Amino acid sequence: MPDLFSPFTLKDVTLRNRIAMSPMTMHRSVDGAVGDYHVMLYGSRAAGGFGLVFPEQIAITPEGRTTSACAGLWDDRHVEGLARVTRIIKEMGGVPAIQLGHTGRKGSEQKPWEGKLQLPPDHPDGWQLKAPSPISYGGRYTYPVEALSVAEIAGIHRAYADAARRAVAAGFEWLEMHFAHGYLGASFFSPLANQRDDRYGGSFDNRLRFHLEALDAVRAVWPERLPLTMRLGSDDLHPDGVQFDEAVAAVGRMTAHGLDLADLSIGFNTDAMTDPPFARMAFMVERGARVRREIGIPLGVSWNLGLPAVADRVIRDELIDLVFLGRPALSNPHWPVWAARELAHPDPFALVPEDWGWWLRNFRAHEACIGWPAPGAGSA
């Protein structure tokens, strides 16, 4: 029976445990490039014991960013900074993963702490939004959206493939495509955002076409020995949006196009959600377990899995294969070590680099002063 600290192998890649740091956008890049801040942030999480470490969502085009301070991989000059990130993650024992995406109609924003409002196309830090259909998201996303032409869609798929080639050059060993959270892939799948009358809109097959073509483009250049995964917006929580049964079928279709693991989340194609579950513990696990059971593909989910006992239980019960942690990974760079102490792991300090582990194992002072919460603080 696996547990939270069991190794996990997918293709030719083995993670030391089942704990993944989710992509979290930091708004610290300059012209798409990452720097010392990112090396520090992701290297410290690998040193803290995370098995799989994602930087933030990496934009495939300049217009695919959330803000002008987001990271990208649309140019060869971006490879060097990301290669520094992958090297430190590997040196600290983790596997470096990349999430490629395009924000679509939810881009051209201010930084969150500056107001998070959408910027007009003529603003120095803004741009013209593109999406499946000329439908603004609404709420704080107020500016007109232009529908992508078929030729532009093909260009986006080429951009995915070009970014994947650069990801190989940068040393990434795991690639996830972001088709959730109201971004471009999610909006193609959702009837709330996609009202096209061509081969990319209308029926289930047509709304899924963007995803399958994007997967095909990346699979053609991404090494077969390395995992190709996807974060899918599996439910819009709206009667006219994506329904979960559609998501189950979509994952099944994508496995035939080279998908190795599914990372399920919410669609977020509207703010008008029915009974949003965001305060519920581990609310995506049941959905993930159904896809894992019916489609037979490895599964990961996030959302409210930050208590060690909960994270361990969903792995032990074989409901999902990987636990994705976002804010818990930001708040505690050594979350895996904390979890190991909570769960009575025989050697929690085996999760940190050997030199750190030696000092921590040989602590001779009062146990309460070692700097970790006492076991029991993270019980469910």
Side-chain angles (χ1 to χ4, degrees):
M1 175 189 298
D3 61 35
L4 191 62
F5 299 99
S6 300
F8 177 72
T9 298
L10 188 62
K11 292 293 185 68
D12 288 354
V13 174
T14 297
L15 310 180
R16 57 186 168 183
N17 56 47
R18 307 300 182 97
I19 309 168
M21 179 183 182
S22 282
M24 300 287 286
T25 300
M26 294 289 105
H27 308 279
R28 283 269 194 156
S29 294
V30 178
D31 296 327
V34 303
D36 291 347
Y37 173 87
H38 303 86
V39 175
M40 173 279 299
L41 178 64
Y42 305 117
S44 65
R45 271 61 189 176
F50 286 85
L52 187 67
V53 179
F54 281 90
E56 64 191 73
Q57 177 184 204
I58 305 296
I60 59 171
T61 69
E63 298 78 21
R65 295 174 291 176
T66 302
T67 74
S68 61
C70 292
L73 195 47
W74 64 81
D75 192 284
D76 290 346
R77 63 186 171 82
H78 296 139
V79 171
E80 180 181 0
L82 288 168
R84 293 179 62 209
V85 170
T86 64
R87 284 195 296 270
I88 192 64
I89 291 172
K90 293 176 187 179
E91 184 177 343
M92 295 295 107
V95 170
I98 188 169
Q99 185 189 73
L100 298 179
H102 189 298
T103 54
R105 63 183 187 161
K106 292 180 78 175
S108 189
E109 287 188 10
Q110 296 172 312
K111 294 177 182 178
W113 49 89
E114 293 175 353
K116 203 174 171 62
L117 297 177
Q118 201 163 49
L119 299 172
D122 58 356
H123 190 280
D125 290 322
W127 53 86
Q128 176 59 56
L129 301 169
K130 296 291 186 84
S133 300
I135 304 171
S136 297
Y137 182 90
R140 58 189 172 83
Y141 299 98
T142 58
Y143 290 99
V145 175
E146 293 182 358
L148 289 160
S149 69
V150 171
E152 287 174 320
I153 293 171
I156 288 172
H157 290 147
R158 287 193 298 272
Y160 270 114
D162 290 342
R165 289 191 192 95
R166 296 184 183 106
V168 175
F172 287 100
E173 297 178 350
W174 183 293
L175 190 150
E176 176 173 280
M177 305 179 73
H178 199 343
F179 297 150
H181 298 177
Y183 296 148
L184 188 61
S187 63
F188 265 97
F189 193 40
S190 176
L192 297 172
N194 183 353
Q195 297 181 12
R196 299 175 71 99
D197 58 7
D198 62 5
R199 66 179 185 269
Y200 290 99
S203 69
F204 168 84
D205 287 345
N206 283 356
R207 288 185 285 112
L208 191 61
R209 192 181 307 275
F210 177 90
H211 301 61
L212 301 183
E213 291 180 353
L215 280 167
D216 289 345
V218 169
R219 185 78 275 178
V221 301
W222 182 249
E224 182 61 35
R225 63 184 179 83
L226 300 179
L228 175 57
T229 73
M230 158 279 307
R231 173 168 282 182
L232 182 67
S234 61
D235 197 330
D236 280 339
L237 306 175
H238 188 285
D240 299 324
V242 172
Q243 306 300 306
F244 190 70
D245 285 348
E246 292 183 303
V248 177
V251 173
R253 291 284 302 278
M254 284 189 269
T255 60
H257 290 254
L259 186 70
D260 297 314
L261 175 143
D263 168 14
L264 296 189
S265 190
I266 299 298
F268 284 116
N269 282 295
T270 178
D271 290 338
M273 291 176 279
T274 301
D275 191 24
F278 305 122
R280 300 175 199 163
M281 187 66 70
F283 71 83
M284 284 301 303
V285 170
E286 182 180 352
R287 291 174 168 90
R290 177 184 165 189
V291 172
R292 187 179 187 271
R293 182 176 62 250
E294 294 184 13
I295 305 301
I297 189 173
L299 237 296
V301 302
S302 52
W303 292 104
N304 298 339
L305 291 169
L307 290 180
V310 174
D312 187 54
R313 184 171 64 247
V314 300
I315 298 295
R316 286 181 181 273
D317 291 347
E318 298 188 64
L319 301 175
I320 59 173
D321 299 282
L322 293 180
V323 169
F324 284 77
L325 301 176
R327 287 174 177 83
L330 292 182
S331 65
N332 184 355
H334 296 88
W335 190 95
V337 179
W338 172 60
R341 284 165 58 86
E342 289 288 322
L343 298 168
H345 188 284
D347 188 6
F349 299 130
L351 296 170
V352 301
E354 186 176 14
D355 44 2
W356 297 6
W358 184 90
W359 282 104
L360 293 169
R361 288 190 196 96
N362 288 278
F363 187 71
R364 291 177 292 182
H366 193 293
E367 178 66 19
C369 295
I370 196 171
W372 300 93
S379 302

